[in-house]
PDB file of all heavy atoms in Angstrom:
ATOM      1  N   PHE A 149     -26.410  17.860  -4.898  1.00  0.00           N
ATOM      2  CA  PHE A 149     -27.469  18.347  -4.031  1.00  0.00           C
ATOM      3  C   PHE A 149     -28.668  18.822  -4.840  1.00  0.00           C
ATOM      4  O   PHE A 149     -28.533  19.550  -5.815  1.00  0.00           O
ATOM      5  CB  PHE A 149     -26.963  19.523  -3.198  1.00  0.00           C
ATOM      6  CG  PHE A 149     -26.233  19.096  -1.968  1.00  0.00           C
ATOM      7  CD1 PHE A 149     -24.923  19.491  -1.766  1.00  0.00           C
ATOM      8  CD2 PHE A 149     -26.843  18.315  -1.008  1.00  0.00           C
ATOM      9  CE1 PHE A 149     -24.248  19.123  -0.634  1.00  0.00           C
ATOM     10  CE2 PHE A 149     -26.171  17.938   0.132  1.00  0.00           C
ATOM     11  CZ  PHE A 149     -24.871  18.344   0.319  1.00  0.00           C
ATOM     12  N   THR A 150     -29.850  18.420  -4.432  1.00  0.00           N
ATOM     13  CA  THR A 150     -31.095  18.967  -4.958  1.00  0.00           C
ATOM     14  C   THR A 150     -32.042  19.109  -3.780  1.00  0.00           C
ATOM     15  O   THR A 150     -31.804  18.575  -2.692  1.00  0.00           O
ATOM     16  CB  THR A 150     -31.744  18.037  -5.997  1.00  0.00           C
ATOM     17  OG1 THR A 150     -32.111  16.801  -5.354  1.00  0.00           O
ATOM     18  CG2 THR A 150     -30.793  17.740  -7.152  1.00  0.00           C
ATOM     19  N   ALA A 151     -33.117  19.815  -3.991  1.00  0.00           N
ATOM     20  CA  ALA A 151     -34.080  19.974  -2.901  1.00  0.00           C
ATOM     21  C   ALA A 151     -34.650  18.632  -2.475  1.00  0.00           C
ATOM     22  O   ALA A 151     -34.979  18.412  -1.314  1.00  0.00           O
ATOM     23  CB  ALA A 151     -35.214  20.899  -3.355  1.00  0.00           C
ATOM     24  N   GLU A 152     -34.756  17.683  -3.452  1.00  0.00           N
ATOM     25  CA  GLU A 152     -35.373  16.390  -3.155  1.00  0.00           C
ATOM     26  C   GLU A 152     -34.527  15.520  -2.237  1.00  0.00           C
ATOM     27  O   GLU A 152     -35.063  14.719  -1.464  1.00  0.00           O
ATOM     28  CB  GLU A 152     -35.662  15.631  -4.462  1.00  0.00           C
ATOM     29  CG  GLU A 152     -36.812  16.206  -5.281  1.00  0.00           C
ATOM     30  CD  GLU A 152     -36.401  17.508  -5.972  1.00  0.00           C
ATOM     31  OE1 GLU A 152     -35.182  17.719  -6.167  1.00  0.00           O
ATOM     32  OE2 GLU A 152     -37.307  18.318  -6.285  1.00  0.00           O
ATOM     33  N   ASN A 153     -33.170  15.604  -2.326  1.00  0.00           N
ATOM     34  CA  ASN A 153     -32.352  14.702  -1.510  1.00  0.00           C
ATOM     35  C   ASN A 153     -31.780  15.382  -0.279  1.00  0.00           C
ATOM     36  O   ASN A 153     -30.885  14.878   0.364  1.00  0.00           O
ATOM     37  CB  ASN A 153     -31.224  14.065  -2.338  1.00  0.00           C
ATOM     38  CG  ASN A 153     -30.193  15.090  -2.801  1.00  0.00           C
ATOM     39  OD1 ASN A 153     -30.225  16.242  -2.394  1.00  0.00           O
ATOM     40  ND2 ASN A 153     -29.289  14.647  -3.660  1.00  0.00           N
ATOM     41  N   THR A 154     -32.338  16.546   0.079  1.00  0.00           N
ATOM     42  CA  THR A 154     -31.869  17.264   1.255  1.00  0.00           C
ATOM     43  C   THR A 154     -32.014  16.431   2.521  1.00  0.00           C
ATOM     44  O   THR A 154     -31.126  16.388   3.367  1.00  0.00           O
ATOM     45  CB  THR A 154     -32.639  18.585   1.423  1.00  0.00           C
ATOM     46  OG1 THR A 154     -32.413  19.403   0.280  1.00  0.00           O
ATOM     47  CG2 THR A 154     -32.177  19.329   2.676  1.00  0.00           C
ATOM     48  N   ALA A 155     -33.153  15.757   2.683  1.00  0.00           N
ATOM     49  CA  ALA A 155     -33.383  14.979   3.906  1.00  0.00           C
ATOM     50  C   ALA A 155     -32.333  13.893   4.068  1.00  0.00           C
ATOM     51  O   ALA A 155     -31.821  13.667   5.159  1.00  0.00           O
ATOM     52  CB  ALA A 155     -34.783  14.362   3.865  1.00  0.00           C
ATOM     53  N   LYS A 156     -31.986  13.236   2.963  1.00  0.00           N
ATOM     54  CA  LYS A 156     -30.954  12.199   3.017  1.00  0.00           C
ATOM     55  C   LYS A 156     -29.606  12.792   3.399  1.00  0.00           C
ATOM     56  O   LYS A 156     -28.865  12.241   4.206  1.00  0.00           O
ATOM     57  CB  LYS A 156     -30.855  11.503   1.669  1.00  0.00           C
ATOM     58  CG  LYS A 156     -29.750  10.457   1.603  1.00  0.00           C
ATOM     59  CD  LYS A 156     -29.669   9.846   0.218  1.00  0.00           C
ATOM     60  CE  LYS A 156     -28.510   8.873   0.124  1.00  0.00           C
ATOM     61  NZ  LYS A 156     -28.370   8.290  -1.225  1.00  0.00           N
ATOM     62  N   THR A 157     -29.301  13.940   2.817  1.00  0.00           N
ATOM     63  CA  THR A 157     -28.019  14.597   3.074  1.00  0.00           C
ATOM     64  C   THR A 157     -27.855  14.952   4.541  1.00  0.00           C
ATOM     65  O   THR A 157     -26.787  14.798   5.109  1.00  0.00           O
ATOM     66  CB  THR A 157     -27.902  15.869   2.214  1.00  0.00           C
ATOM     67  OG1 THR A 157     -27.981  15.512   0.854  1.00  0.00           O
ATOM     68  CG2 THR A 157     -26.583  16.572   2.480  1.00  0.00           C
ATOM     69  N   LYS A 158     -28.895  15.427   5.174  1.00  0.00           N
ATOM     70  CA  LYS A 158     -28.791  15.881   6.559  1.00  0.00           C
ATOM     71  C   LYS A 158     -28.515  14.738   7.528  1.00  0.00           C
ATOM     72  O   LYS A 158     -28.194  14.975   8.679  1.00  0.00           O
ATOM     73  CB  LYS A 158     -30.071  16.618   6.955  1.00  0.00           C
ATOM     74  CG  LYS A 158     -30.170  18.019   6.350  1.00  0.00           C
ATOM     75  CD  LYS A 158     -31.353  18.780   6.897  1.00  0.00           C
ATOM     76  CE  LYS A 158     -31.384  20.201   6.361  1.00  0.00           C
ATOM     77  NZ  LYS A 158     -32.535  20.966   6.876  1.00  0.00           N
ATOM     78  N   GLN A 159     -28.637  13.517   7.083  1.00  0.00           N
ATOM     79  CA  GLN A 159     -28.343  12.384   7.949  1.00  0.00           C
ATOM     80  C   GLN A 159     -26.848  12.081   8.008  1.00  0.00           C
ATOM     81  O   GLN A 159     -26.413  11.301   8.837  1.00  0.00           O
ATOM     82  CB  GLN A 159     -29.108  11.147   7.458  1.00  0.00           C
ATOM     83  CG  GLN A 159     -30.626  11.308   7.534  1.00  0.00           C
ATOM     84  CD  GLN A 159     -31.350  10.137   6.913  1.00  0.00           C
ATOM     85  OE1 GLN A 159     -30.740   9.170   6.482  1.00  0.00           O
ATOM     86  NE2 GLN A 159     -32.672  10.223   6.847  1.00  0.00           N
ATOM     87  N   SER A 160     -26.051  12.709   7.137  1.00  0.00           N
ATOM     88  CA  SER A 160     -24.617  12.449   7.113  1.00  0.00           C
ATOM     89  C   SER A 160     -23.972  12.976   8.384  1.00  0.00           C
ATOM     90  O   SER A 160     -24.226  14.102   8.801  1.00  0.00           O
ATOM     91  CB  SER A 160     -23.977  13.116   5.895  1.00  0.00           C
ATOM     92  OG  SER A 160     -24.537  12.621   4.705  1.00  0.00           O
ATOM     93  N   GLN A 161     -23.121  12.176   8.985  1.00  0.00           N
ATOM     94  CA  GLN A 161     -22.439  12.552  10.224  1.00  0.00           C
ATOM     95  C   GLN A 161     -20.927  12.488  10.017  1.00  0.00           C
ATOM     96  O   GLN A 161     -20.433  11.668   9.247  1.00  0.00           O
ATOM     97  CB  GLN A 161     -22.835  11.617  11.372  1.00  0.00           C
ATOM     98  CG  GLN A 161     -24.285  11.759  11.818  1.00  0.00           C
ATOM     99  CD  GLN A 161     -24.547  13.054  12.554  1.00  0.00           C
ATOM    100  OE1 GLN A 161     -25.522  13.716  12.304  1.00  0.00           O
ATOM    101  NE2 GLN A 161     -23.670  13.402  13.463  1.00  0.00           N
ATOM    102  N   PHE A 162     -20.200  13.334  10.740  1.00  0.00           N
ATOM    103  CA  PHE A 162     -18.747  13.360  10.690  1.00  0.00           C
ATOM    104  C   PHE A 162     -18.191  13.111  12.082  1.00  0.00           C
ATOM    105  O   PHE A 162     -18.809  13.478  13.083  1.00  0.00           O
ATOM    106  CB  PHE A 162     -18.252  14.716  10.177  1.00  0.00           C
ATOM    107  CG  PHE A 162     -18.673  15.021   8.770  1.00  0.00           C
ATOM    108  CD1 PHE A 162     -19.882  15.629   8.497  1.00  0.00           C
ATOM    109  CD2 PHE A 162     -17.858  14.674   7.708  1.00  0.00           C
ATOM    110  CE1 PHE A 162     -20.279  15.911   7.210  1.00  0.00           C
ATOM    111  CE2 PHE A 162     -18.232  14.952   6.402  1.00  0.00           C
ATOM    112  CZ  PHE A 162     -19.448  15.569   6.152  1.00  0.00           C
ATOM    113  N   ASP A 163     -17.024  12.515  12.127  1.00  0.00           N
ATOM    114  CA  ASP A 163     -16.396  12.205  13.407  1.00  0.00           C
ATOM    115  C   ASP A 163     -15.894  13.439  14.138  1.00  0.00           C
ATOM    116  O   ASP A 163     -15.834  13.465  15.362  1.00  0.00           O
ATOM    117  CB  ASP A 163     -15.222  11.245  13.196  1.00  0.00           C
ATOM    118  CG  ASP A 163     -15.671   9.900  12.648  1.00  0.00           C
ATOM    119  OD1 ASP A 163     -16.854   9.554  12.853  1.00  0.00           O
ATOM    120  OD2 ASP A 163     -14.857   9.209  12.018  1.00  0.00           O
ATOM    121  N   SER A 164     -15.468  14.453  13.384  1.00  0.00           N
ATOM    122  CA  SER A 164     -14.923  15.661  14.005  1.00  0.00           C
ATOM    123  C   SER A 164     -15.041  16.813  13.028  1.00  0.00           C
ATOM    124  O   SER A 164     -15.244  16.621  11.826  1.00  0.00           O
ATOM    125  CB  SER A 164     -13.445  15.461  14.368  1.00  0.00           C
ATOM    126  OG  SER A 164     -12.650  15.352  13.199  1.00  0.00           O
ATOM    127  N   LEU A 165     -14.905  18.034  13.550  1.00  0.00           N
ATOM    128  CA  LEU A 165     -14.975  19.212  12.694  1.00  0.00           C
ATOM    129  C   LEU A 165     -13.826  19.235  11.697  1.00  0.00           C
ATOM    130  O   LEU A 165     -14.018  19.563  10.525  1.00  0.00           O
ATOM    131  CB  LEU A 165     -14.973  20.480  13.543  1.00  0.00           C
ATOM    132  CG  LEU A 165     -15.000  21.804  12.771  1.00  0.00           C
ATOM    133  CD1 LEU A 165     -16.232  21.894  11.883  1.00  0.00           C
ATOM    134  CD2 LEU A 165     -14.942  22.988  13.728  1.00  0.00           C
TER     135      LEU A 165
END
Side-chain angles (χ1 to χ4, degrees):
F149 276 122
T150 64
E152 288 74 22
N153 66 8
T154 299
K156 177 182 176 182
T157 300
K158 285 187 176 180
Q159 296 174 4
S160 300
Q161 292 289 135
F162 297 87
D163 296 336
S164 68
L165 178 59

